[in-house]
Amino acid sequence: YDLSKLPQELQDEFKLSEGRPGKETGVFQVLRTDSMECAEESKVQQSIEQSSGNTMKPSDLKETEDEIAYRCLLEEVQRTFVHLDQGSRGRVFDPRSLVEASACLKLEFDIWQQNDASEFAMKLLDKLEVPLKRWSPSHFKYLEHTFRLKQTKQKLCKECGLKTNREENLMNIDCQIRGKADIHEALSTMCEVEYMEGDNKVFCDNCKKNCDTILRTAISALPDMLILSLKRFDLDYNTFETVKLNSRCAFDQSLNMKKYTLEGVEAVEKASMSDGDDDNQAYIDPLSVLPDEDYEYKLAGVLVHHGVAQGGHYYSFIRDRSNSDGKQPDKWFRFDDDEVTPFDASQIEVECFGGKVKKETKWPNGQVNTVETEQLANALMLFYEKVKPTKSYATDNDNDTEMGETAESQADLVMTTGVDVFEDDVKRSNTVHRSHAFLFDSEFQRFLRNLLGIAFHTDQMIDTIGESVVPDTPILLDAWHVPILELCTSFFFDVLLHSVDQSVLINWTKSLSGSLLSSPVGSQWVVHELARRTATINSNWIRIFASDCPEQASREAAMQIISYSIRGALKESKEMEALKKWTQSWTQPDLHQLCVNLPVSQVDDLNKIDAFEASSLGILIAHICLLLELAPRTWQYHSDLCVLLKEIGSIPTAEGGDILRHALATAQVPARLISLLLREKSPAQLQAVMPGASLSHEISEAIMRPYTTPTAHVFPLVNSVGTNTGANTGTSSLTSPSDHTNTLEAIAVIVGIRGAKNAQLVIETGQVKGIPMFDLTEKAKEALTIVFNECTSQQGIMDQKDVMNFMNVYGIDTVPVSPQRVTNMLTKYGKDSRHLTVDGFLMYYRDISQSNTIQIRSDLHTFGFRPDLSRRGKDTRIYAVGEREIPYNAIESVAIDTFSMMEAQPFSIGPYAEAGLASIHLYHVVYFTDSHLTECLLAWVALHQDTSRLLVETLKALYTAQGWGNESLQICTTILMILASLPNDRQTERITAIMQSSEKLYVRSSVGCGLLVVAKELSLAQSSQQYGADYHNNRAIMDRYIEAIKDLQKVRPIAKWMSDNKPLWEWIDQWLRSDSSHSYPNRGNRPTHQTLFDHQTHSDSDINDGLNDSEDDDDDFDVTADGYGGGTVIVKGAGIPEVNGSYSSNNKKFDDVARFTKTTFWQGREQEFTLFRCVLSNGTRRWYISIIPIGQKPGTNKDMDFYVCVATGHANEVPQSHNWETAKEYGANPPPIIEWKSDTSSMQSDDNDDVLIDQRVTSNDEYDGINDDNTNYDDALMEDAVQQ
């Protein structure tokens, strides 16, 4: 792929946080040139010489890489504590720079992953000693005195009494807690005595031989801060994996270490030797001779780990030690990331000890279930502070000598504590935090909003659902009003949109929207400011909130304000005239170059905007074109730009909407949106002029770079210090269905389709247990109330019959519902479980809105409502046949409605947009995003441009569609129905082309692509074939064409054409008359062979589960109660001989139709073969011949399927005689032929059954699917066609 054709990406601008000279604290590293380094070094050296007269340069320091890393770590630790100590109240510190510096600790895992906190603490203290020992010996001594303890391992010879001590310096005590009840047991284990005797004797230096020896360990020197590490992470020797021990380990808030010290051990030993044999001597604690205050510790903090060995969360409980006098009770706090909250020390046992906890669950029947689980949150490290700290911290001579050796080397350096270096950073961070706190303060925000309300009376311009109401006349403004609007708008974009308080955003958006709509001058200022900022990077409001901002609420609010600003600016005549001139500048002869080069016209000088010599709106449109070209490569949230285009594209004509839409169309915005939808499938002419927007997903993903949100866009109130706080969000070029929805709506409104903007159906009313709850908007309630009133047979109520008609007759469900479902609905939402009022009806749809707004929109579409909830005219929804009123098919109604609103197109959308709209690939993308809006767009295309290419592409796509009920088949059928339904002067020409097009089906084909032409050819080929390889393929294609013709018959123009041209299709009549639709007139737009939407969606097993819960239920259900559905099925001609034979129903059902079974031997075992119908996860139904495992219900993936056939889904359906196919795993060719026979005994038992069977069974006992009831929808269509 030639990447040079792509437009150049927009520049990024990064601001490095200012830190110490040469030590940037941001995530970016400054690359300095040699001249910069020399100049800086010279400047530093000069200042040193002037201050002290020293001649040593900083570059003369001799440090290894490890020493440099340890010094940087010390600096970051110091920086952290300076910020924590001097930072303003309420500000938190970002420790990422400290984490990065900790890489030198070489922990077990990566520094950005969870590590053992004890390991981190010990390695941190160990590495800090290195720079402290060299650069600050006094602080090294303090660190050593505070944390270092000495552990002595003593060897005592039992023969000569020689004691040998070996000391070891430690920073903590590792406590093995496996099997230990408390911390004292763990410490006692450390001090256990070990006797070395026999073969384990130890050599004595005094005796010069191996002697019986006593080995013991004790603490010889205690620190001021004692750290106990509880070894909760251990190795499981069965699995050799690290596990966490969550067992209980208790500890007290005070700890006496006397008996664990060397002095204590020796005191006990001495007392035991001097006791003698006097039993009457009173017992004296041998440890009492040692003063308690020298060994007493008080708990200062607890580090808790919540989780498992592989991951979790750390937090701490810390005692406030500022109250050292002990007169006031201790205060404890919980430190959890950026939250510091008070803590009750009495809860330490519950929060820190670990162990098991019991949870009780009480069931509705009164039973209580108790479950014992491990507590995952428990103490990992304990910090004990010495009650009487040691005053002196003199060091050994060795250490003094070692540190003294560095004195000469650092004598020529200017030394500093480091605090003064960080003070400027702290002051700057505190200042930024205070300013942010002020700007985000609710009182200040309320003050600004009140100023806006006083100036523009915004509180009077907001309706009940939060939409701004356009005032009839602009408000008369005083001189101070517009500056207030400018101030508030800048505050909104630069400050408020970075807030996370959604309620504040909503209120501000309402007020600012009303102000802009009432003030064209103010709106004009905002538009001019938006245009000027397009030349910037980090202050470009459109780019920030249409691409970079990660908060959806902020993006939506920004797009709304920008759209209202443009709408208000259009009221200024000068702005409108400037836009007209800008539009003319685009209509140059070389449109190709205009599209490729994305020019901002030379007259569009930003300095000429205020004089209206350049169009600010034109500059914005040109910038949007550029952003659309870059969208596949750089954006994660580009759908919000489509939201902006949708909003400004729907501005009414009376407010200048046509002028703006003309400018958008002339700039080829619709073509760019189509390219974004189609990408690499865009027509060749679009790919040539719009290479960026049509870039494929694969290429855009390959060349995309990781993207970090610039810090200039982020004002985190709680993260004002440290490294870059922008979220690291990798972009993705993949679009979601919501992206397609916004893009499709934008295309529709820009080209001028009335009613194409989807109205809001629900609003969020709150949350229940964290789950958002929704209610219907007022517009949705009004529309549904109209639907309710039209479906009632009595004033204000719907009875069971009305509800059944609502769901069946009007096509809300493609399959007739059972009476039980209607009863359940009336029980839940009805009045007295018998009648449904309008309130219950709205409550039913309110419950649906919690998870499925698509269903609500589909139902409203069925009843003639456009996407914006305006309603199509009655003459476009209903037609008369004699004295009867019959509803149009929904698709036909859309086409007629589009034709009825036909107006002279005020502008051309351009050749590129026309090419995109004529591509069938576009409708493959958008149909399942919004099928109703797709129908409107198709009707508009058929009305305003030549659709011959689209028609031929659709016919060819129908031939290549794979399988039954697939997306391509649905889309092709919908396109053909729209093209056939549009009642303009080319309607007959299109219908003839649909049926008899002579355009070649493919390059080497001699057959045309018309439906009847292909079907005729397939029928001839099928009759001349046996069971060869092509037989089943041709038969499947033939069935597909038959089904498509059946669907097309539902529109009146097709029915009339077929009535007028019956000789052309008589040979196919028997196929068209079989398996016809049920007797309910279906107003839905969904093809009968597949359900596109349903009120409930399940997986295959979920759908079929519960349809036949027990055999007893089956026995109670009479499948022949309506005189149809039972009987016997004869299977013959199957490639698996065992499948052939007679299947009986025995009054069993599944999926509300008869289920047929027979028993025979297969593979040496007696098996029951079942012929049944079930529902698939996509809503379609199939007939299967299978073996059902014992104890299982039909319709699961455990069935052994032999043969399958498509089902119509009707309540009175029996298996089809033909159209069966071989299942892949167990079936074998040829597929069977099915013959259904009624149960004659049941027919003779009821005269009504005789009538029904006579109507539904032909001379050869096969069902022809024709219902002779005069209310049948297909009959009504044909009758009307004959009358015409």
Side-chain angles (χ1 to χ4, degrees):
Y1 187 86
D2 186 5
L3 298 180
S4 62
K5 299 186 299 183
L6 300 178
Q8 185 177 0
E9 293 186 15
L10 295 177
Q11 293 181 340
D12 288 325
E13 182 179 84
F14 299 100
K15 290 185 178 180
L16 303 182
S17 57
E18 185 180 354
R20 291 163 291 135
K23 299 289 183 181
E24 294 294 339
T25 57
V27 296
F28 305 100
Q29 181 180 1
V30 177
L31 301 178
R32 298 181 177 273
T33 63
D34 294 339
S35 59
M36 293 171 61
E37 292 179 355
C38 293
E40 181 177 317
E41 195 169 302
S42 175
K43 183 177 180 181
V44 172
Q45 180 63 25
Q46 183 179 0
S47 62
I48 292 176
E49 292 176 356
Q50 291 176 355
S51 59
S52 61
N54 297 328
T55 59
M56 187 175 182
K57 300 179 181 180
S59 59
D60 294 336
L61 293 178
K62 296 181 180 180
E63 290 182 299
T64 64
E65 291 185 1
D66 288 341
E67 288 175 338
I68 294 175
Y70 301 154
R71 179 166 54 82
C72 292
L73 177 62
L74 174 62
E75 291 171 353
E76 288 300 334
V77 171
Q78 189 177 25
R79 177 173 175 265
T80 300
F81 282 106
V82 169
H83 274 282
L84 292 178
D85 181 55
Q86 300 183 12
S88 59
R89 185 176 181 84
R91 178 173 69 83
V92 300
F93 177 75
D94 187 343
R96 275 181 283 187
S97 56
L98 174 61
V99 174
E100 290 178 346
S102 301
C104 63
L105 300 180
K106 296 180 174 60
L107 301 174
E108 181 179 0
F109 303 106
D110 184 79
I111 56 173
W112 298 107
Q113 297 180 1
Q114 175 182 288
N115 282 274
D116 187 350
S118 178
E119 177 194 8
F120 171 78
M122 295 306 103
K123 287 188 175 181
L124 176 65
L125 294 175
D126 181 61
K127 302 307 180 186
L128 289 180
E129 288 184 349
V130 176
L132 286 175
K133 187 180 294 186
R134 178 174 182 180
W135 302 110
S136 183
S138 61
H139 289 92
F140 168 76
K141 295 175 184 178
Y142 177 80
L143 178 69
E144 186 180 50
H145 171 73
T146 302
F147 294 103
R148 177 157 292 175
L149 61 91
K150 292 184 179 181
Q151 184 184 63
T152 298
K153 295 185 181 295
Q154 192 175 73
K155 183 171 67 173
L156 176 61
C157 180
K158 296 181 67 175
E159 294 186 9
C160 67
L162 177 66
K163 291 183 180 179
T164 305
N165 294 339
R166 181 169 61 88
E167 284 189 341
E168 182 181 0
N169 293 329
L170 301 175
M171 287 290 187
N172 72 323
I173 299 177
D174 289 332
C175 301
Q176 300 292 339
I177 65 168
R178 184 185 288 273
K180 306 297 186 293
D182 55 34
I183 204 67
H184 289 285
E185 290 188 13
L187 291 172
S188 298
T189 302
M190 177 192 68
C191 297
E192 286 181 349
V193 176
E194 186 177 4
Y195 296 94
M196 309 300 291
E197 299 174 341
D199 295 338
N200 296 324
K201 292 181 179 181
V202 179
F203 183 80
C204 177
D205 293 334
N206 187 35
C207 299
K208 304 300 182 182
K209 63 177 182 178
N210 293 335
C211 303
D212 291 345
T213 305
I214 298 176
L215 300 180
R216 60 191 182 190
T217 303
I219 305 300
S220 56
L222 289 169
D224 283 349
M225 182 63 70
L226 178 64
I227 302 176
L228 302 181
S229 299
L230 309 186
K231 304 297 288 183
R232 290 196 176 274
F233 298 115
D234 203 357
L235 181 65
D236 187 340
Y237 288 98
N238 293 323
T239 62
F240 289 96
E241 294 180 349
T242 302
V243 296
K244 183 186 176 186
L245 305 177
N246 294 309
S247 57
R248 176 183 173 87
C249 183
F251 54 88
D252 297 324
Q253 293 197 40
S254 61
L255 176 65
N256 192 302
M257 291 293 293
K258 189 187 301 183
K259 62 180 178 181
Y260 309 115
T261 62
L262 188 60
E263 297 94 331
V265 171
E266 291 178 346
V268 172
E269 181 183 20
K270 182 178 179 181
S272 62
M273 294 176 61
S274 62
D275 281 346
D277 299 330
D278 190 359
D279 296 336
N280 296 325
Q281 184 178 358
Y283 173 77
I284 300 177
D285 186 2
L287 297 177
S288 61
V289 297
L290 302 175
D292 286 334
E293 59 268 18
D294 291 340
Y295 304 93
E296 194 72 25
Y297 283 85
K298 190 174 182 180
L299 187 65
V302 183
L303 177 68
V304 178
H305 179 266
H306 183 281
V308 295
Q310 290 71 30
H313 179 61
Y314 287 113
Y315 55 92
S316 302
F317 298 111
I318 302 177
R319 175 169 56 87
D320 183 5
R321 306 195 304 283
S322 59
N323 178 29
S324 58
D325 54 6
K327 296 181 180 180
Q328 298 179 359
D330 292 334
K331 293 182 179 180
W332 283 77
F333 294 90
R334 172 175 172 145
F335 290 77
D336 190 352
D337 291 341
D338 59 349
E339 295 183 358
V340 179
T341 54
F343 175 69
D344 184 2
S346 63
Q347 296 298 311
I348 288 181
E349 178 180 358
V350 177
E351 295 285 344
C352 304
F353 283 11
K356 295 185 177 181
V357 294
K358 293 182 179 181
K359 294 184 179 180
E360 293 185 351
T361 304
K362 188 173 182 181
W363 301 103
N365 58 7
Q367 294 183 353
V368 178
N369 183 31
T370 303
V371 179
E372 192 176 53
T373 59
E374 288 187 338
Q375 188 167 339
L376 298 180
N378 36 54
L380 189 67
M381 297 180 71
L382 306 177
F383 296 81
Y384 282 95
E385 186 179 31
K386 204 170 189 180
V387 175
K388 183 182 177 181
T390 306
K391 295 183 179 180
S392 174
Y393 48 86
T395 57
D396 296 337
N397 293 332
D398 294 341
N399 289 338
D400 288 337
T401 302
E402 181 180 353
M403 289 184 288
E405 293 174 356
T406 65
E408 183 178 355
S409 63
Q410 64 191 40
D412 296 333
L413 292 176
V414 177
M415 305 295 291
T416 176
T417 62
V419 176
D420 54 341
V421 177
F422 296 110
E423 282 181 345
D424 290 340
D425 188 20
V426 175
K427 291 179 180 178
R428 181 172 55 256
S429 299
N430 289 340
T431 302
V432 172
H433 176 264
R434 284 192 292 268
S435 64
H436 287 179
F438 174 74
L439 291 174
F440 285 102
D441 182 69
S442 58
E443 292 295 330
F444 176 70
Q445 294 174 3
R446 190 178 301 112
F447 166 72
L448 287 182
R449 188 162 170 259
N450 288 339
L451 284 180
L452 196 64
I454 293 173
F456 296 95
H457 312 291
T458 53
D459 294 337
Q460 303 175 10
M461 294 185 291
I462 308 299
D463 66 11
T464 57
I465 64 171
E467 294 183 354
S468 298
V469 179
V470 183
D472 295 333
T473 57
I475 296 177
L476 297 177
L477 302 180
D478 294 333
W480 61 276
H481 287 175
V482 174
I484 289 294
L485 181 59
E486 296 174 2
L487 170 65
C488 292
T489 303
S490 298
F491 175 78
F492 180 81
F493 280 105
D494 292 332
V495 178
L496 200 64
L497 287 179
H498 303 277
S499 171
V500 294
D501 192 342
Q502 189 170 357
S503 61
V504 174
L505 282 182
I506 292 174
N507 293 331
W508 263 86
T509 304
K510 292 178 182 178
S511 299
L512 202 53
S513 300
S515 302
L516 292 169
L517 289 177
S518 63
S519 172
V521 177
S523 298
Q524 184 175 276
W525 176 87
V526 175
V527 171
H528 288 187
E529 188 67 16
L530 286 167
R532 278 188 285 264
R533 288 173 179 261
T534 58
T536 64
I537 299 177
N538 284 346
S539 59
N540 185 344
W541 287 341
I542 290 185
R543 178 184 175 183
I544 292 173
F545 296 106
S547 63
D548 297 338
C549 177
E551 293 294 333
Q552 181 179 356
S554 297
R555 299 196 307 270
E556 292 176 351
M559 294 303 103
Q560 183 173 343
I561 295 304
I562 293 174
S563 65
Y564 280 131
S565 302
I566 295 175
R567 183 175 176 180
L570 277 175
K571 297 179 182 179
E572 287 290 319
S573 59
K574 292 183 179 180
E575 196 69 51
M576 194 178 298
E577 291 300 322
L579 180 60
K580 289 180 180 179
K581 293 179 181 179
W582 182 90
T583 304
Q584 294 175 358
S585 70
W586 273 80
T587 56
Q588 301 296 325
D590 193 358
L591 183 59
H592 174 89
Q593 288 301 320
L594 285 172
C595 293
V596 173
N597 297 330
L598 295 168
V600 177
S601 180
Q602 294 181 357
V603 298
D604 289 338
D605 188 348
L606 297 178
N607 298 324
K608 300 178 181 179
I609 290 178
D610 293 332
F612 298 99
E613 296 179 7
S615 172
S616 57
L617 292 175
I619 294 175
L620 293 181
I621 294 174
H623 188 63
I624 289 173
C625 289
L626 176 60
L627 296 179
L628 290 176
E629 277 294 298
L630 299 174
R633 287 179 288 163
T634 58
W635 285 10
Q636 186 179 13
Y637 311 109
H638 71 266
S639 67
D640 288 280
L641 189 61
C642 297
V643 173
L644 174 61
L645 291 171
K646 174 183 67 176
E647 294 296 331
I648 63 177
S650 57
I651 295 176
T653 301
E655 299 180 27
D658 282 345
I659 297 174
L660 183 60
R661 283 186 286 272
H662 185 197
L664 293 170
T666 306
Q668 299 303 303
V669 170
R672 300 185 198 280
L673 295 174
I674 293 172
S675 296
L676 276 178
L677 290 173
L678 297 181
R679 297 294 185 89
E680 69 275 12
K681 294 184 178 180
S682 301
Q685 53 266 54
L686 266 70
Q687 295 189 44
V689 298
M690 300 167 190
S694 58
L695 191 65
S696 68
H697 293 287
E698 292 76 10
I699 297 178
S700 58
E701 289 286 348
I703 65 177
M704 190 180 299
R705 55 179 171 75
Y707 187 73
T708 303
T709 306
T711 56
H713 305 165
V714 185
F715 296 103
L717 185 59
V718 297
N719 290 320
S720 54
V721 184
T723 57
N724 179 13
T725 55
N728 190 5
T729 55
T731 58
S732 174
S733 67
L734 298 179
T735 52
S736 66
S738 61
D739 296 336
H740 291 165
T741 300
N742 293 324
T743 309
L744 178 60
E745 287 187 61
I747 295 172
V749 297
I750 292 174
V751 300
I753 300 177
R754 290 174 54 186
K757 180 184 174 184
N758 279 321
Q760 185 178 2
L761 295 181
V762 296
I763 54 174
E764 185 174 345
T765 57
Q767 292 188 347
V768 177
K769 296 182 178 180
I771 301 175
M773 303 302 294
F774 300 93
D775 194 8
L776 299 170
T777 62
E778 292 300 322
K779 285 186 177 180
K781 290 179 180 179
E782 292 174 5
L784 289 171
T785 302
I786 294 174
V787 173
F788 174 84
N789 292 331
E790 291 185 358
C791 294
T792 57
S793 58
Q794 305 178 46
Q795 183 66 30
I797 59 172
M798 292 174 66
D799 56 19
Q800 184 172 5
K801 183 179 179 181
D802 293 333
V803 175
M804 178 102 38
N805 288 336
F806 164 70
M807 291 187 171
N808 285 336
V809 177
Y810 292 94
I812 294 299
D813 284 335
T814 55
V815 180
V817 295
S818 63
Q820 184 61 42
R821 181 175 176 184
V822 175
T823 302
N824 293 339
M825 180 179 176
L826 289 173
T827 302
K828 184 175 182 179
Y829 302 102
K831 181 180 180 181
D832 300 328
S833 299
R834 292 180 299 174
H835 301 95
L836 187 67
T837 63
V838 66
D839 293 335
F841 187 76
L842 294 177
M843 189 180 299
Y844 165 72
Y845 273 101
R846 185 199 64 187
D847 290 348
I848 293 177
S849 70
Q850 307 305 314
S851 60
N852 192 2
T853 56
I854 295 177
Q855 183 61 51
I856 303 177
R857 201 172 295 279
S858 179
D859 292 354
L860 289 172
H861 174 75
T862 300
F863 279 87
F865 287 91
R866 303 186 184 98
D868 67 344
L869 296 189
S870 62
R871 201 173 191 192
R872 301 191 290 269
K874 183 176 180 180
D875 58 338
T876 67
R877 294 181 285 111
I878 297 174
Y879 66 96
V881 177
E883 297 181 355
R884 290 182 297 156
E885 289 187 343
I886 300 178
Y888 280 109
N889 175 277
I891 292 179
E892 185 177 0
S893 176
V894 169
I896 298 174
D897 180 63
T898 303
F899 180 78
S900 67
M901 295 188 298
M902 182 180 64
E903 299 175 354
Q905 184 69 6
F907 54 84
S908 171
I909 63 174
Y912 300 115
E914 290 179 356
L917 292 174
S919 172
I920 191 175
H921 296 296
L922 174 65
Y923 306 104
H924 274 271
V925 173
V926 301
Y927 181 78
F928 289 96
T929 297
D930 191 331
S931 60
H932 314 314
L933 189 53
T934 303
E935 293 166 8
C936 297
L937 183 61
L938 275 167
W940 185 92
V941 171
L943 188 62
H944 291 92
Q945 67 184 62
D946 183 18
T947 56
S948 56
R949 174 189 165 193
L950 176 62
L951 192 152
V952 171
E953 283 189 4
T954 303
L955 292 174
K956 293 179 178 180
L958 181 64
Y959 181 81
T960 57
Q962 298 296 322
W964 278 94
N966 61 77
E967 296 179 1
S968 297
L969 188 58
Q970 282 187 264
I971 296 166
C972 292
T973 304
T974 301
I975 294 174
L976 296 178
M977 292 177 74
I978 286 287
L979 296 180
S981 301
L982 193 71
N984 62 356
D985 54 358
R986 301 189 62 182
Q987 183 179 34
T988 304
E989 178 185 341
R990 289 194 298 270
I991 295 176
T992 303
I994 291 172
M995 292 298 184
Q996 294 185 295
S997 175
S998 59
E999 184 81 19
K1000 287 186 178 181
L1001 196 57
Y1002 46 89
V1003 176
R1004 298 182 180 179
S1005 173
S1006 60
V1007 180
C1009 60
L1011 297 182
L1012 295 179
V1013 176
V1014 177
K1016 183 69 172 179
E1017 187 69 18
L1018 289 172
S1019 66
L1020 294 175
Q1022 182 175 340
S1023 63
S1024 62
Q1025 292 173 347
Q1026 299 300 321
Y1027 295 109
D1030 294 333
Y1031 177 81
H1032 297 292
N1033 181 53
N1034 289 343
R1035 190 178 66 177
I1037 298 176
M1038 179 67 176
D1039 294 339
R1040 188 188 313 147
Y1041 272 76
I1042 296 300
E1043 198 68 25
I1045 296 174
K1046 287 181 184 180
D1047 286 333
L1048 289 174
Q1049 277 185 301
K1050 297 175 184 178
V1051 298
R1052 297 169 66 231
I1054 291 286
K1056 182 180 184 304
W1057 187 93
M1058 296 187 71
S1059 175
D1060 296 339
N1061 299 274
K1062 192 169 185 179
L1064 298 176
W1065 57 273
E1066 279 184 323
W1067 56 273
I1068 207 174
D1069 183 50
Q1070 67 178 58
W1071 283 284
L1072 296 179
R1073 293 175 60 84
S1074 63
D1075 299 327
S1076 70
S1077 302
H1078 56 74
S1079 59
Y1080 298 114
N1082 188 344
R1083 287 177 55 174
N1085 66 333
R1086 293 157 288 197
T1088 57
H1089 52 267
Q1090 177 159 350
T1091 303
L1092 179 58
F1093 299 115
D1094 198 359
H1095 283 227
Q1096 294 178 349
T1097 302
H1098 307 279
S1099 64
D1100 293 357
S1101 57
D1102 291 339
I1103 290 175
N1104 297 302
D1105 188 27
L1107 292 176
N1108 189 11
D1109 291 336
S1110 68
E1111 295 296 331
D1112 295 336
D1113 294 339
D1114 291 344
D1115 294 339
D1116 295 337
F1117 179 83
D1118 183 9
V1119 296
T1120 60
D1122 61 351
Y1124 189 68
T1128 303
V1129 170
I1130 307 299
V1131 179
K1132 53 188 178 182
I1136 303 295
E1138 292 84 351
V1139 172
N1140 298 323
S1142 177
Y1143 291 68
S1144 59
S1145 67
N1146 296 325
N1147 290 340
K1148 304 296 183 182
K1149 70 161 188 175
F1150 190 77
D1151 191 27
D1152 292 331
V1153 296
R1155 185 178 73 184
F1156 306 89
T1157 60
K1158 83 154 195 170
T1159 303
T1160 187
F1161 281 88
W1162 185 70
Q1163 294 186 350
R1165 296 179 59 185
E1166 188 177 51
Q1167 299 282 4
E1168 183 179 72
F1169 286 81
T1170 303
L1171 193 156
F1172 65 95
R1173 188 184 77 176
C1174 69
V1175 189
L1176 305 185
S1177 58
N1178 62 359
T1180 61
R1181 282 175 162 81
R1182 299 286 188 273
W1183 285 100
Y1184 286 92
I1185 300 179
S1186 309
I1187 293 178
I1188 311 301
I1190 298 176
Q1192 297 290 330
K1193 295 182 176 65
T1196 68
N1197 55 10
K1198 298 180 181 180
D1199 297 347
M1200 299 174 60
D1201 301 326
F1202 295 90
Y1203 300 100
V1204 61
C1205 176
V1206 68
T1208 63
H1210 305 150
N1212 53 6
E1213 184 182 12
V1214 295
Q1216 296 189 37
S1217 59
H1218 296 82
N1219 301 329
W1220 284 81
E1221 296 181 359
T1222 302
K1224 292 182 179 179
E1225 188 169 357
Y1226 296 100
N1229 286 325
I1233 298 175
I1234 306 298
E1235 181 180 357
W1236 175 81
K1237 293 186 176 181
S1238 63
D1239 189 344
T1240 55
S1241 60
S1242 65
M1243 285 192 298
Q1244 293 173 357
S1245 64
D1246 195 317
D1247 294 338
N1248 293 331
D1249 290 345
D1250 291 334
V1251 175
L1252 290 173
I1253 294 299
D1254 288 341
Q1255 292 176 348
R1256 292 170 178 168
V1257 181
T1258 61
S1259 59
N1260 61 353
D1261 291 337
E1262 291 188 8
Y1263 174 51
D1264 65 359
I1266 301 299
N1267 190 332
D1268 296 330
D1269 186 3
N1270 58 3
T1271 62
N1272 182 276
Y1273 181 55
D1274 292 333
D1275 288 349
L1277 288 177
M1278 192 60 71
E1279 178 184 348
D1280 177 58
V1282 171
Q1283 289 182 359
Q1284 292 184 3

